[in-house]
Amino acid sequence: MDPYRLPRHVLPTHYDLRLEPDLQTCSFSGQETVTLTVCEATREILLNAIELTILSASLVNDAGQKLVPVVQLEEATERCLLMFSTPVAPGTWKLQLAFQGTLNSKLRGFYRSQYKDPSGAVRLLAATQFEATDARRAFPCWDEPDFKAVFAPTLAFAPELTAVSNTAIVGETIQDGKKIVRFADTIPMSTYLVAFIVGELEATEPTFIGRTPLRVWCVPGKRRLARFGQEIGAFSLGLYEQYYGRAYPGDKLDLLAIPDFAAGAMENFGAITFRETALLVDDQAATHAEQERVADVVAHENAHMWFGDLVTMAWWNGLWLNEAFATFMEMLAVDAWKPEWQRWTTFGVSRAAALAVDGLHSTRPIEYPVAAPHDADAMFDVLTYEKGASVLRMLEQYLGPEVFRAGVRAYLQRHAFGNTETGDLWRALGDAAKQPIPEILDGWVFRSGYPLLSVRLEGDRLVLTQQRFAYLPFDADDEERKQRWRVPVQVRLTANGKTSTQRLLLEETETRLDRPAGFESVLVNEQGHGFYRVHYATDLLERLLRVPDDLAPIERFNLVNDCWAATLAGLMPLQAYLEVTAHFRAERDKNVWTVLTSSLVALNRIIRTEDRPGLEALVRDRAGAAGAELGWLARPGESELTRQLRGDLLRTLGTLGNDQDIQAKAAELYAAHLHGSAAVDANVLAAVIAILAHTGGAERYDEFWRRFRSATTPQEEQRYLYALAGFREAELLENTLAKTLSGDVRTQDAPFVVQKLLMSVYGRDLAWRFLKDHWDEMNRTFPTTGIRRMCDGVVGLATPEYERDVRNFFEQRRIDLGGKTLQQYLEQLHIAVRLRQREERVLHEYLVSFAQA
Ligand SMILES: [Zn+2]
C-alpha cells in the first residue's frame, strides 16, 4: 500500500474547527471536532498531520460512547495514527482533537508574513497556503483532494485585528479579551482550499456580481492599488457565470494581497490569496506586462472557483483538470475584457515555454503518477498549466467554441461538489461533440512530447510527415521516437495570389496534398493553435520569409520560434537561423520580438567573451531600426502593446546591444523623471532602470537599493530589486547575493534574484559559487517552490566545465527537486552546451564580421 495515501474506511464529512493564532508568540492552538463515517469496524484511524503537537484525542458517538486512542505521529509519511484498544463500530462518530503549532516563516501551512505599516513599523499577519499538501500543518485532517467535507471555522485573536476565511462571517463576539469570529459552513470541498488570514487588514467597498460581493483586501496603506484587480475580478466572475451557465457557488468572494507569498496566487474557495504584485497595481504607473500579470492571475484564480473548487481532481495526477482549465479560462476572460491586448496571440509565448520543456527526453505526460507530497508540488509546472491549456485551446478550436462550452457545462453540472478523472471530462465533451474525444486527446494528455511536422514539395504534391520532436537525438531502439499523434492541422495555401484553408486530422506518419496551380507558399498551423512544431524545407521557408507581413503575428511568432528550436536541435544550421532573424528588422509585434530577443540572449551565454562586441553589434543591427522608429515617447492613441514593445526594444538595445546612445539618453531621461520635468511612459521607465543597472557603478547601485526599500508599489519594488541583479561589476553583484540571505529581501523574492544572477553572464560565476556555498542555508530560509525556481538558473551555466560541476554538485548532494524537475534543468543545460560545441566556430566567424562592420 502507498505509504502516502490514507485508507478509505473512515470518511470525514464535517470539520468544526477553532484556531487561535497569536502573532506575539508566532504560535497557534486549535481544537476540532470532525464528524466521521466509519464504514467498517476498525482499531485504527489514519489521518494527516505534521509539525503539530496533538494535546488530546477522543472519539464519541450519539450513544454516549467515548473512546480514547493512543496517538502516534509518523513524521516521514506526515500521518497521525490513532490506535484504539477496542474496535470502533461502523456508524457516525465525532473525533475531538486539541493541538498546537507554530506560525512558521516558510510560507506554507499556517504561516506568518511580515510588512511595514505606513509609519514604517514592522507588523505581522497570519495567513495560510495549503496546496498541495500543507493543510496538515495547520490542523489534523484527511488531506487528500477527494476527502471533501464541509468546514465551519471559528477564529479567536487579538481584538484589533481582522479575519477572513472562505465564507461570510455569521457571528462575532468578544470573550476573555479576544475577538471570536465564526464563519458560515463552506460547500463540501477539499482541505487544500481552506484558508484563514488574520491581521490588520483593509478592504475595498464591495462590487456586486449578482448577489456576490467581491472585495480586495490588503495591508494598511495600499487600498489605492486595489481598483484594477477588483475590476478584472468582477468582470471575470460575471463572464464565468455566463460561460459555465452556473452561478458562483459561494456567498462572497475576497481577493487578498499577502506581503509574503511563495507562489503567484492560491484559489482558496471564496478567499483567494495573492502575492502583492499579482493583485495590487497602480495602472497609471505600471507597464503593460505588469498590468497583464494582475489581470491574468485574478482571472485565473476566479476560474478555479468552478474548475478546481466546485469540481476537483480526484488526485494530484489529474491536476491539469484544475490548472489547464483555469489557464485556458484566464485567456478567454482577459481577451474578452481587453480585446486590444490580443491575449491569445501573447499566449503563444506560454505555449512556446511548454513546447520547450516538452521537447526534452525528461519531459512527462500532462497526467503523471504522483505519490509523495514533493512530487505533487512538482506538478505545478508549464506542462500542467501551459501545455494543458494549449491542448484545450487546440481542442476548442477543433470542436468549435460552442460545442466545447456545452461539454464544459455538462461536466460541471454532472460533477458539482464532487471529484473527477480525465475520463469524466472526455465523456462530457464527447457527448456534446457527438464524437469520441479520447481517440484524439489521449496521445496529448497521457503521453509526453509532441510531433514535429516536416513539410516539403515533391513534384506536384506537398508532403507532410510527423515524427516526435526532441532537442537531443533518440537512441535507435527508443520506442518513444516512434510515437504518432492525431494532429488537428490547419493548412493555408497561397496560389495565384489567393489563399485557401484546408483542415485535416493527420493520423498517419505521412500525408500528401495536391500542389495547386500557381503555387506560391504553404503555411502549416494557420492561426497557430496547434501544439506542434513545423519544419519547412528550405525553399518553402524562403517563400514564407519573402512576405512575412502576409502572416498573422502568431504565425510569425511560431515560424521564428520553430526555427530557433530546430537550431537548438541541430536540424537547422545556426547561420541559417541568424539569416532568418534578418528578415524581421521591420517586425512590430512584441511577441515576435520576445522570441527573437530570447534567442540572442541564449547566444550571449555561449559565445567567447571576445565575441561579445560582435554579438552586441548583431543585436543593434537586428533591433536598431525598430527601436529608432518607436523612439522614446509614447504617442497618443497607440496601443498598449506598442508601448510595451518600445520598452522591450529599448531594454534590449541598451543592455544586450550595449548601445551607448541609448544608454546616454536613458540616464538623461531618468534624471528628468526624478526632477519631475519629464513624463516618462511606464514601459520606458522600466527599461531605463534596467539599462542604468547595466551601465551603473556603486553610486547607482546604492541609489537603486534605496529606491527598492522605499518603493510605494509592489511593481516598483520588484523593478528595483531585480535591477540589482542587472549590474555588471563583481563587487556589486556579490553585494546583491549577500542581500538574498540577509533578511533584507523577502524570501518569496530572493530565489528569483539568485536565478537571475545565474542567468547573467556577468553574475553566473559568482552566483553559482554562492549557491554551492550557501545551499543548506537557502534550504532553511527559502520556500521550497522558490528553491525549485531558483535552480532553473543553472541553465545559464552553458559551458562544458560548468555543466560538469553542476552535475557533480546535484549528484553529490543527492538533491531532488520533485518529479522530473532537476533532470529537465540538466537536459536544458546540456542542449545549450551542445549548441556551443557544435556552432562555436561558425558563430565566432559570423560575429567577427559583425564586430568589424
Ligand atoms: Zn491555478
Side-chain angles (χ1 to χ4, degrees):
M1 178 153 181
D2 184 342
Y4 297 105
R5 299 299 295 271
L6 300 174
R8 259 58 191 168
H9 64 279
V10 177
L11 305 173
T13 55
H14 187 279
Y15 292 75
D16 230 318
L17 187 60
R18 181 187 162 112
L19 288 172
E20 294 195 23
D22 185 337
L23 293 172
Q24 305 292 319
T25 59
C26 291
S27 64
F28 63 93
S29 59
Q31 293 157 23
E32 65 180 349
T33 301
V34 189
T35 308
L36 301 175
T37 304
V38 176
C39 306
E40 55 190 71
T42 181
R43 280 173 186 270
E44 288 185 356
I45 293 181
L46 260 178
L47 62 160
N48 294 110
I50 180 82
E51 290 173 2
L52 292 175
T53 307
I54 311 283
L55 304 173
S56 69
S58 62
L59 193 66
V60 297
N61 67 4
D62 284 348
Q65 257 185 300
K66 178 174 178 176
L67 307 172
V68 177
V70 174
V71 180
Q72 189 179 309
L73 288 169
E74 302 173 350
E75 207 180 312
T77 52
E78 308 184 356
R79 299 192 302 192
C80 171
L81 175 63
L82 308 177
M83 289 170 290
F84 296 88
S85 53
T86 56
V88 180
T92 303
W93 292 84
K94 284 187 178 354
L95 173 65
Q96 296 170 330
L97 292 169
F99 50 94
Q100 61 191 28
T102 306
L103 293 173
N104 69 75
S105 62
K106 290 280 283 180
L107 318 191
R108 65 175 179 180
F110 205 4
Y111 71 92
R112 60 183 191 265
S113 170
Q114 196 175 304
Y115 63 95
K116 285 190 191 135
D117 71 10
S119 76
V122 172
R123 299 290 196 179
L124 290 180
L125 62 79
T128 54
Q129 168 61 39
F130 291 164
E131 194 179 21
T133 58
D134 291 324
R136 65 190 67 173
R137 292 171 198 275
F139 58 97
C141 57
W142 278 255
D143 199 12
E144 298 181 12
D146 68 336
F147 284 112
K148 284 199 171 182
V150 171
F151 296 84
T154 299
L155 292 169
F157 48 89
E160 66 275 16
L161 305 179
T162 304
V164 176
S165 185
N166 304 90
T167 48
I169 292 172
V170 289
E172 193 172 313
T173 54
I174 300 279
Q175 262 174 34
D176 305 329
K178 286 205 161 176
K179 199 194 270 185
I180 317 287
V181 175
R182 207 154 52 78
F183 296 88
D185 280 7
T186 66
I187 59 170
M189 65 180 203
S190 310
T191 44
Y192 78 89
L193 295 167
V194 175
F196 324 107
I197 302 91
V198 179
E200 288 177 311
L201 300 164
E202 291 183 357
T204 60
E205 287 299 312
T207 306
F208 282 86
I209 301 91
R211 282 153 58 179
T212 309
L214 181 143
R215 287 182 190 83
V216 173
W217 294 78
C218 53
V219 297
K222 294 193 171 167
R223 213 161 22 171
R224 68 193 170 81
L225 304 172
R227 189 189 59 78
F228 187 86
Q230 187 160 11
E231 243 175 59
I232 176 61
F235 176 87
S236 57
L237 203 72
L239 181 104
Y240 297 147
E241 290 195 334
Q242 284 174 14
Y243 185 94
Y244 295 138
R246 206 183 165 94
Y248 169 69
D251 57 7
K252 57 90 183 175
L253 181 56
D254 291 315
L255 313 180
L256 301 106
I258 309 294
D260 292 293
F261 196 83
M266 176 61 215
E267 68 269 24
N268 312 303
F269 183 64
I272 304 173
T273 43
F274 298 77
R275 65 164 61 198
E276 288 187 337
T277 48
L279 179 61
L280 303 178
V281 67
D282 172 355
D283 56 338
Q284 295 307 305
T287 66
H288 170 68
E290 288 163 350
Q291 294 179 50
E292 190 183 72
R293 161 106 169 128
V294 171
D296 281 358
V297 179
V298 171
H300 178 103
E301 303 308 322
N302 277 358
H304 273 311
M305 298 301 108
W306 290 262
F307 260 97
D309 294 11
L310 179 67
V311 179
T312 313
M313 77 268 141
W315 180 243
W316 299 106
N317 63 330
L319 181 66
W320 86 284
L321 289 168
N322 284 8
E323 296 302 348
F325 254 99
T327 305
F328 173 85
M329 294 304 300
E330 149 200 345
M331 298 300 144
L332 200 98
V334 174
D335 187 53
W337 189 46
K338 301 257 185 196
E340 68 276 18
W341 286 7
Q342 297 175 29
R343 196 61 191 83
W344 279 117
T345 300
T346 308
F347 179 65
V349 178
S350 310
R351 189 191 293 111
L355 288 166
V357 173
D358 207 24
L360 304 173
H361 293 307
S362 53
T363 184
R364 61 167 179 84
I366 291 178
E367 271 221 27
Y368 187 65
V370 171
H374 78 280
D375 289 327
D377 290 341
M379 292 292 279
F380 294 81
D381 67 0
V382 291
L383 297 169
T384 297
Y385 286 67
E386 279 80 12
K387 182 181 179 183
S390 302
V391 168
L392 289 175
R393 177 66 167 168
M394 185 164 68
L395 182 68
E396 185 222 23
Q397 293 294 307
Y398 179 70
L399 298 178
E402 306 292 321
V403 171
F404 183 83
R405 189 181 62 181
V408 168
R409 287 181 172 189
Y411 169 81
L412 291 174
Q413 181 64 29
R414 279 179 209 169
H415 303 287
F417 309 109
N419 294 84
T420 54
E421 312 272 357
T422 293
D424 297 317
L425 178 66
W426 285 181
R427 267 186 292 285
L429 287 168
D431 292 350
K434 301 188 178 61
Q435 58 175 301
I437 301 297
E439 289 183 6
I440 304 171
L441 273 197
D442 277 0
W444 301 94
V445 174
F446 294 105
R447 303 288 301 274
S448 58
Y450 55 85
L452 172 72
L453 267 53
S454 300
V455 196
R456 64 176 196 275
L457 271 176
E458 219 179 87
D460 58 352
R461 296 297 177 94
L462 275 165
V463 186
L464 254 71
T465 58
Q466 63 157 312
Q467 69 184 97
R468 181 167 172 161
F469 175 84
Y471 291 101
L472 300 174
F474 282 104
D475 293 336
D477 57 348
D478 193 332
E479 287 298 309
E480 297 272 302
R481 67 196 280 253
K482 297 183 191 143
Q483 195 183 338
R484 298 290 174 266
W485 286 262
R486 289 190 166 81
V487 195
V489 183
Q490 196 167 318
V491 177
R492 185 166 70 232
L493 288 163
T494 306
N496 289 328
K498 290 203 178 95
T499 61
S500 62
T501 295
Q502 289 197 24
R503 289 186 182 81
L504 53 124
L505 191 66
L506 176 60
E507 301 187 71
E508 306 301 325
T509 299
E510 183 178 296
T511 192
R512 286 166 181 259
L513 305 175
D514 287 336
R515 169 187 166 146
F519 172 77
E520 289 167 36
S521 66
V522 57
L523 180 88
V524 179
N525 200 8
E526 184 183 35
Q527 294 182 20
H529 304 302
F531 191 79
Y532 52 83
R533 295 191 192 279
V534 185
H535 184 55
Y536 296 96
T538 311
D539 55 328
L540 292 177
L541 179 62
E542 278 168 5
R543 285 165 185 266
L544 288 172
L545 289 173
R546 244 174 261 155
V547 275
D549 285 353
D550 288 358
L551 308 182
I554 187 67
E555 295 165 351
R556 297 199 298 275
F557 174 89
N558 285 342
L559 189 72
V560 177
N561 190 50
D562 290 348
C563 285
W564 173 239
T567 306
L568 288 171
L571 303 171
M572 182 181 223
L574 179 60
Q575 180 144 1
Y577 174 75
L578 292 172
E579 273 144 30
V580 168
T581 64
H583 286 84
F584 291 86
R585 291 190 182 97
E587 179 60 55
R588 292 296 176 273
D589 180 78
K590 83 172 176 72
N591 303 299
V592 181
W593 274 111
T594 299
V595 55
L596 289 165
T597 305
S598 61
S599 67
L600 296 170
V601 168
L603 291 181
N604 190 35
R605 294 200 195 100
I606 64 166
I607 55 172
R608 305 174 195 167
T609 307
E610 69 262 30
D611 285 339
R612 188 144 295 123
L615 185 85
E616 289 164 354
L618 175 70
V619 170
R620 294 194 297 272
D621 173 80
R622 297 300 191 258
E629 193 198 286
L630 288 177
W632 293 82
L633 292 176
R635 290 163 203 164
E638 73 183 356
S639 78
E640 279 193 48
L641 298 182
T642 303
R643 292 182 181 199
Q644 179 74 49
L645 174 61
R646 174 180 295 110
D648 291 353
L649 287 170
L650 288 171
R651 180 194 307 245
T652 299
L653 287 163
T655 58
L656 193 64
N658 208 18
D659 186 317
Q660 286 167 13
D661 294 341
I662 295 226
Q663 291 166 350
K665 176 80 179 166
E668 208 178 283
L669 206 60
Y670 188 69
H673 162 74
L674 293 185
H675 293 123
S677 58
V680 182
D681 177 69
N683 301 283
V684 172
L685 182 61
V688 162
I689 290 168
I691 294 167
L692 295 186
H694 186 76
T695 55
E699 203 178 318
R700 186 69 81 188
Y701 186 95
D702 292 340
E703 184 202 342
F704 280 11
W705 174 250
R706 282 196 308 276
R707 294 200 179 276
F708 159 68
R709 304 271 286 177
S710 62
T712 57
T713 71
Q715 287 75 21
E716 188 187 11
E717 182 181 314
Q718 183 176 281
R719 265 181 233 163
Y720 283 109
L721 174 62
Y722 289 165
L724 300 177
F727 284 78
R728 286 186 286 182
E729 287 175 23
E731 202 180 319
L732 303 178
L733 297 180
E734 274 170 356
N735 227 326
T736 303
L737 284 164
K739 288 179 195 302
T740 61
L741 284 169
S742 67
D744 292 318
V745 177
R746 290 185 184 282
T747 59
Q748 67 169 10
D749 298 322
F752 292 94
V753 175
V754 178
Q755 190 258 10
K756 284 182 193 317
L757 283 163
L758 285 165
M759 290 283 199
S760 149
V761 296
Y762 307 101
R764 60 187 173 185
D765 196 63
L766 298 167
W768 174 236
R769 263 187 279 152
F770 186 83
L771 182 148
K772 287 190 288 182
D773 292 346
H774 297 86
W775 180 255
D776 292 329
E777 193 181 348
M778 287 173 166
N779 272 282
R780 277 196 305 277
T781 315
F782 298 162
T784 317
T785 48
I787 295 280
R788 188 177 302 120
R789 296 293 174 86
M790 175 180 79
C791 289
D792 167 31
V794 302
V795 175
L797 297 163
T799 73
E801 298 75 32
Y802 279 135
E803 188 191 5
R804 266 195 301 281
D805 194 39
V806 168
R807 284 186 181 275
N808 282 342
F809 175 74
F810 284 110
E811 243 164 62
Q812 280 167 7
R813 303 294 299 255
R814 296 175 192 280
I815 291 161
D816 177 359
L817 300 175
K820 293 189 161 193
T821 311
L822 182 59
Q823 289 112 290
Q824 290 168 358
Y825 295 162
L826 294 177
E827 189 177 344
Q828 284 171 308
L829 172 58
H830 187 60
I831 291 163
V833 171
R834 265 177 63 111
L835 178 71
R836 177 184 210 122
Q837 289 168 331
R838 194 168 60 232
E839 302 278 12
E840 195 174 28
R841 198 184 49 81
V842 171
L843 185 57
H844 169 72
E845 283 162 14
Y846 196 89
L847 294 178
V848 165
S849 70
F850 253 92
Q852 288 162 351

